[in-house]
Amino acid sequence: MKYKNLVLIKQKGFNVPEFLSIPEDIEFNALGEVFEWFNRIEEAPFITRSSFSMEDGVNRSFAGVFESYYPIYTWEDFMKWYNICINSYKSSKFRSYTEAHKLEILDSVSKNVILQKYIVWDVSWVCFSQYNEKYIYIECVPWINGPFVNGEYLSPFTISIERRNLNKIRVISFFENDFFYTIQDGTIEKVYGNTQFYMEDYFLPYIKDLWEICKELQSIFLYPQDIEFTIYKWKIYILQSRNVTVVI
């Protein structure tokens, strides 16, 4: 499902880092084609990500259950992490998740690994295209999203935007200092409060594009989306998009 989502997102014209899907039972000749692709992509490193058929479904996302492995610079590194990634269903996280949700699905699971160009980001974020029916929420993470997705890190602030009105942006700080920005004639003005992190100001030039991306991805998948993205050299890259399994 993750791979199919990435293909669709790229077909719709979004910036997606180059990627390839590699099945569990790949033949030796096909592996040579992967090797050629690996050497053709400029500016390593790479990242491997799981793409199992039961991931990112309507009712179960498996978010944070499977690991991503990075950075990968050599073919030897890739082969090592490919084997670990393809066997990640044997992990304690997977067992705990399936037991908690009473899932018995291994017999029908298709196992693939995504090999993707790893974007060395300026800043990474997680975006929820619908929150409480009225808002788009964007969680700031000062490095790659992994620690946040795995529940190991509390985002320092959240950007809240009304889905139908881009004129007011609320920054909800976890350091007891909320504040607002307003947009008048394309100019962003701070209403009150103090900036806690440089990333809040860094984010503002991208607000309109992200607002539109959230709404468009939700319209494509016909369901509220949990979107991982990153910003690098003033360009927004979509890393993945999955259904929000719990809409608040």
Side-chain angles (χ1 to χ4, degrees):
M1 181 67 75
K2 187 182 297 180
Y3 173 74
K4 290 181 179 179
N5 286 358
L6 281 176
V7 170
L8 180 56
I9 292 168
K10 191 172 183 66
Q11 288 175 343
K12 294 295 183 179
F14 293 93
N15 296 317
V16 178
E18 293 191 68
F19 62 94
L20 194 67
S21 178
I22 307 167
E24 178 184 27
D25 55 352
I26 186 170
E27 297 179 359
F28 182 79
N29 291 340
L31 196 59
E33 295 177 5
V34 176
F35 179 77
E36 292 180 4
W37 183 90
F38 184 92
N39 287 287
R40 178 175 58 82
I41 303 300
E42 298 178 352
E43 298 183 7
F46 295 87
I47 182 171
T48 58
R49 317 177 76 185
S50 65
S51 182
F52 291 12
S53 57
M54 74 287 199
E55 289 186 77
D56 301 347
V58 174
N59 299 316
R60 298 285 180 265
S61 69
F62 284 81
V65 173
F66 297 101
E67 302 289 346
S68 297
Y69 299 98
Y70 59 89
I72 295 171
Y73 290 94
T74 67
W75 181 252
E76 291 74 19
D77 284 344
F78 162 68
M79 291 303 300
K80 170 187 174 182
W81 293 117
Y82 165 80
N83 287 315
I84 293 175
C85 195
I86 208 73
N87 288 292
S88 56
Y89 67 92
K90 300 176 182 178
S91 70
S92 58
K93 281 185 179 181
F94 181 86
R95 289 195 301 272
S96 298
Y97 189 94
T98 53
E99 289 172 2
H101 294 88
K102 299 179 180 179
L103 302 175
E104 296 181 5
I105 51 181
L106 274 182
D107 291 340
S108 60
V109 168
S110 171
K111 307 180 189 72
N112 295 268
V113 168
I114 294 173
L115 175 62
Q116 189 172 37
K117 185 175 179 179
Y118 179 61
I119 299 296
V120 182
W121 31 260
D122 293 328
V123 66
S124 290
W125 314 75
V126 179
C127 180
F128 301 95
S129 67
Q130 180 173 319
Y131 183 90
N132 197 22
E133 298 185 357
K134 186 177 180 181
Y135 297 100
I136 291 171
Y137 263 34
I138 302 175
E139 302 271 6
C140 165
V141 184
W143 49 76
I144 194 167
N145 292 328
F148 174 73
V149 173
N150 294 335
E152 300 166 5
Y153 183 80
L154 181 64
S155 171
F157 65 89
T158 297
I159 307 293
S160 172
I161 315 164
E162 288 191 19
R163 289 177 51 77
R164 297 183 180 180
N165 181 12
L166 186 59
N167 292 330
K168 191 172 184 179
I169 307 166
R170 181 185 180 193
V171 179
I172 306 167
S173 172
F174 289 93
F175 295 89
E176 300 180 353
N177 189 20
D178 294 4
F179 54 91
F180 292 86
Y181 289 94
T182 58
I183 301 178
Q184 300 293 339
D185 300 324
T187 301
I188 299 173
E189 301 176 351
K190 188 183 296 184
V191 178
Y192 69 85
N194 297 314
T195 301
Q196 296 284 346
F197 296 89
Y198 81 94
M199 288 167 291
E200 297 158 8
D201 292 330
Y202 176 96
F203 164 84
L204 293 174
Y206 304 96
I207 186 71
K208 185 175 185 295
D209 288 341
L210 289 168
W211 182 67
E212 292 175 347
I213 285 171
C214 285
K215 295 198 298 181
E216 187 170 351
L217 284 177
Q218 180 161 325
S219 69
I220 290 170
F221 292 105
L222 304 176
Y223 203 81
Q225 293 295 292
D226 173 354
I227 305 159
E228 290 184 29
F229 66 96
T230 194
I231 299 172
Y232 176 62
K233 291 186 177 180
W234 305 284
K235 184 181 290 186
I236 300 170
Y237 289 88
I238 305 299
L239 305 181
Q240 73 173 26
S241 186
R242 59 162 69 97
N243 287 350
V244 173
T245 52
V246 180
V247 179
I248 299 177

